[in-house]
Amino acid sequence: MAVPVTTPDRPARRVGARHFVRLKLRVMGNNFRGQGWRIALFLVGALFGLWIAAGGFFALAAPGLADEPRFALLTAAFGGGLLVLGWLLLPLVFFGVDETLDPARFALLPLPRRTLVVGLFAAALVSVPLLAALVAVTGLVVTAGALGGWPAALVSVVGIVGGLLLCVAAARAVTSAFATMLRSRRVRDLAAVLLAVLAALLGPLQIAVLAAVRRADWDRLTGAARVVGWTPFGAPWTAGVEVAEGHPWAAVVKLLITVAAVGALLFWWSRTLESAMVGAASAGPSRQRRGPVGGPVAQLFPGAVGWARRDRFGALVARECRYWWRDARRRANLITIAVVGVFVPVMVNLGGSRLAVDGEQAFGDATANSSPVLVSLSMLFVGVLASVTLANQFGFDGSAYAANVVAGVPGRLELRARMTAFSLYVVPMLGAVAVILAVLLGRPGWLGVMAGGLAAAYGCGLAVNSFVAVLGGYALPETSNPFAMNSGAGMAKGLLTLLSMVASALAATPAVVAAALLGNAWLWLALPVGLAYGLGAALLGSYLAGDVLDRRQPELLSTVTPRR
């Protein structure tokens, strides 16, 4: 549907879906204009996505090439169902990533609801993720064609097109339906927490899946796949397999299920579109809070930093402590550190790789294979991971960093205050990781090795990330979404993270070498030497990077300020 739009100096024009697509492409082009590095990162990210899509293509095409109809049904039902589920859930936490698709930006335009739905839906189809998904699911066409000839391949083409439309419609409908709640701070924070926990648990889930697949009952899985195939999650992807199995009537019914699901989702989207355009939900009754006694200055200092001096250093520490607690984007990183920090050393030292192969391996046998060197390696990874969050610490501030630039805060003081505030949250978690691992391994005498290795790696990470943050900071979008990224910034984040972790690990390698060479003596020396090494590295890093920050404050402010 299209509607006429008139302006004083031009005749009426009819607005249709093509205008929304052109708008999206134009906004994307403007974001890349004059930003060569962003274009390069976008292209690298697109190529990486297409490389992953190629892997998905071969995985979905393999059953047909191997002439395995049973595995064809399994891959089509479960693989397609996971794809729909991903497109359905991710918008709950990625709302606002593509700002041209945010319905709130069209609230003041005289456009009917139907025009908005059709236009936004068409614009949502123009995306690199959808192109990558299309490449991947084309493997189902190859499987259907190899098993059932060109009729099955043709039906599979229709099915995957319907499946991709279902993915986009589900994402848009769910986003609009939950738009009001997602603009509520409490629900956003809850979404950030849940996503951080889920992301951190990907490793344990992968191990559990591998162990389950090894002991899987394929007949039972085939029955479950047939059930999923009759739901909207699996119907579009298994239509071609039904034709290959000689059930054309089932393929027709599944395509009708897909069409009905897409239509129902679009209708739901049109009914809930107004809530996405209105904006924030009611904050509810406000509660009065009583701050600490001592005047307005004392109220600015949280209880955890009540010891801090009432000077510039103390004020910076107090501010950063509040930000790390209240900012959902920062808090999500703290949760990831807590979960991964416990999981990685436990799985490494308890023989996680063998558990993935043999789920019946005894716990005691795994602990017997641990050693101080292996423990030190796992602690090095945890300490480096804990500090990598500061690789873009100025990006969290954005344009608010201008206050520090105007106030002339010395770079060394700034970095030391940020390290201190961050460590108030992270150091207790690292201590808990060391204690938990010592208990699980039954090696209380190794507690010093664990704590010393963590301290050395964490201190080196603080030093390295001080330079990374000053020299490689990038802007984060001004959005309530804690996980939103600007176009091209996702690849920048990945490269900076990799650079930071490699450099931090190299700087902390002496702790692992000492564990290998000194033997039992390192059990007594690890804690004091690790603490001194980590603290010295952090202070040296703040000293050297602080001088660089003093020279680059204007450039850094320009880099981390979001462009509108």
Side-chain angles (χ1 to χ4, degrees):
M1 178 180 179
V3 296
V5 176
T6 61
T7 59
D9 56 345
R10 66 170 58 182
R13 297 181 59 187
R14 302 192 67 81
V15 177
R18 69 181 186 279
H19 295 94
F20 288 84
V21 175
R22 291 174 57 188
L23 174 63
K24 179 174 181 177
L25 294 176
R26 178 170 295 183
V27 172
M28 291 177 62
N30 291 338
N31 288 335
F32 291 131
R33 183 174 300 172
Q35 301 289 329
W37 65 271
R38 183 171 292 181
I39 296 175
L41 291 175
F42 175 80
L43 292 177
V44 172
L47 292 176
F48 182 71
L50 291 177
W51 177 73
I52 295 178
F57 168 83
F58 287 111
L60 295 177
L65 299 177
D67 195 19
E68 288 286 350
R70 181 177 61 176
F71 291 106
L73 179 63
L74 290 173
T75 56
F78 292 136
L82 289 176
L83 180 62
V84 176
L85 190 63
W87 280 85
L88 180 66
L89 296 180
L90 289 180
L92 292 179
V93 289
F94 283 94
F95 182 83
V97 171
D98 190 348
E99 296 185 353
T100 59
L101 297 181
D102 190 348
R105 296 187 175 272
F106 299 91
L108 300 180
L109 299 180
L111 297 174
R113 183 184 302 169
R114 185 175 181 182
T115 300
L116 281 174
V117 171
V118 174
L120 294 174
F121 185 64
L125 298 176
V126 183
S127 66
V128 174
L130 191 70
L131 176 61
L134 177 61
V135 173
V137 297
T138 305
L140 296 175
V141 179
V142 176
T143 294
L147 297 177
W150 68 265
L154 181 60
V155 172
S156 182
V157 170
V158 178
I160 65 172
V161 171
L164 294 176
L165 294 178
L166 178 68
C167 290
V168 178
R172 294 294 92 195
V174 172
T175 296
S176 293
F178 289 92
T180 301
M181 288 192 298
L182 285 175
R183 287 189 171 95
S184 169
R185 177 181 174 181
R186 293 181 179 180
V187 178
R188 280 199 317 270
D189 289 354
L190 178 61
V193 170
L194 293 177
L195 184 63
V197 172
L198 290 176
L201 292 177
L202 287 179
L205 290 176
Q206 181 181 8
I207 292 176
V209 169
L210 290 175
V213 168
R214 186 177 181 274
R215 302 188 303 269
D217 184 347
W218 293 108
D219 293 333
R220 183 175 299 179
L221 284 178
T222 301
R226 293 195 180 279
V227 173
V228 174
W230 285 100
T231 66
F233 290 94
W237 320 106
T238 57
V241 178
E242 294 289 355
V243 174
E245 292 180 347
H247 307 137
W249 61 270
V252 174
V253 174
K254 289 186 175 183
L255 293 179
L256 292 177
I257 291 175
T258 303
V259 173
V262 173
L265 288 170
L266 292 179
F267 177 78
W268 182 29
W269 186 15
S270 67
R271 297 295 97 186
T272 59
L273 190 61
E274 291 181 358
S275 66
M277 298 171 66
V278 169
S282 174
S286 60
R287 296 181 298 175
Q288 294 183 353
R289 296 183 179 180
R290 296 182 179 180
V293 180
V297 174
Q299 295 179 13
L300 298 177
F301 285 74
V305 293
W307 49 267
R309 301 188 305 270
R310 271 41 176 180
D311 55 8
R312 286 191 298 182
F313 177 81
L316 287 172
V317 172
R319 188 200 67 169
E320 287 297 308
C321 280
R322 288 186 179 274
Y323 283 177
W324 280 106
W325 181 254
R326 294 185 176 183
D327 187 354
R329 184 154 32 196
R330 302 192 189 205
R331 190 160 59 248
N333 287 290
L334 293 178
I335 295 169
T336 302
I337 293 172
V339 177
V340 177
V342 174
F343 163 73
V344 170
V346 169
M347 296 307 300
V348 169
N349 291 280
L350 298 183
S353 60
R354 290 183 297 277
L355 287 173
V357 177
D358 187 0
E360 298 178 355
Q361 181 177 358
F363 182 83
D365 294 339
T367 59
N369 295 316
S370 186
S371 67
V373 177
L374 187 60
V375 168
S376 299
L377 282 172
S378 61
M379 294 299 99
L380 183 146
F381 176 81
V382 174
V384 168
L385 177 68
S387 62
V388 77
T389 302
L390 295 182
N392 190 36
Q393 53 188 302
F394 296 98
F396 290 127
D397 292 353
S399 58
Y401 178 62
N404 294 26
V405 177
V406 173
V409 178
R412 299 173 184 175
L413 181 69
E414 172 104 33
L415 293 176
R416 285 200 300 268
R418 289 175 179 267
M419 290 179 182
T420 302
F422 182 66
S423 298
L424 289 176
Y425 292 99
V426 174
V427 170
M429 289 192 290
L430 296 181
V433 168
V435 172
I436 292 173
L437 185 59
V439 172
L440 292 178
L441 290 178
R443 304 278 189 172
W446 292 3
L447 184 59
V449 175
M450 300 171 189
L454 283 172
Y458 178 66
C460 293
L462 292 179
V464 171
N465 284 293
S466 296
F467 283 97
V468 174
V470 173
L471 299 175
Y474 55 90
L476 298 174
E478 292 183 321
T479 174
S480 57
N481 182 350
F483 297 97
M485 298 295 294
N486 288 322
S487 300
M491 183 57 62
K493 179 181 178 181
L495 293 177
L496 285 177
T497 299
L498 179 61
L499 173 64
S500 167
M501 295 187 69
V502 171
S504 301
L506 291 177
T509 300
V512 181
V513 176
L517 297 180
L518 297 181
N520 291 333
W522 185 243
L523 297 178
W524 300 96
L525 298 175
L527 182 57
V529 173
L531 288 174
Y533 188 81
L535 181 61
L539 292 177
L540 180 62
S542 64
Y543 182 85
L544 298 177
D547 292 340
V548 181
L549 178 59
D550 289 334
R551 297 191 298 267
R552 293 198 75 252
Q553 278 188 340
E555 292 82 358
L556 180 60
L557 175 61
S558 176
T559 303
V560 300
T561 300
R563 289 183 172 85
R564 298 183 180 275

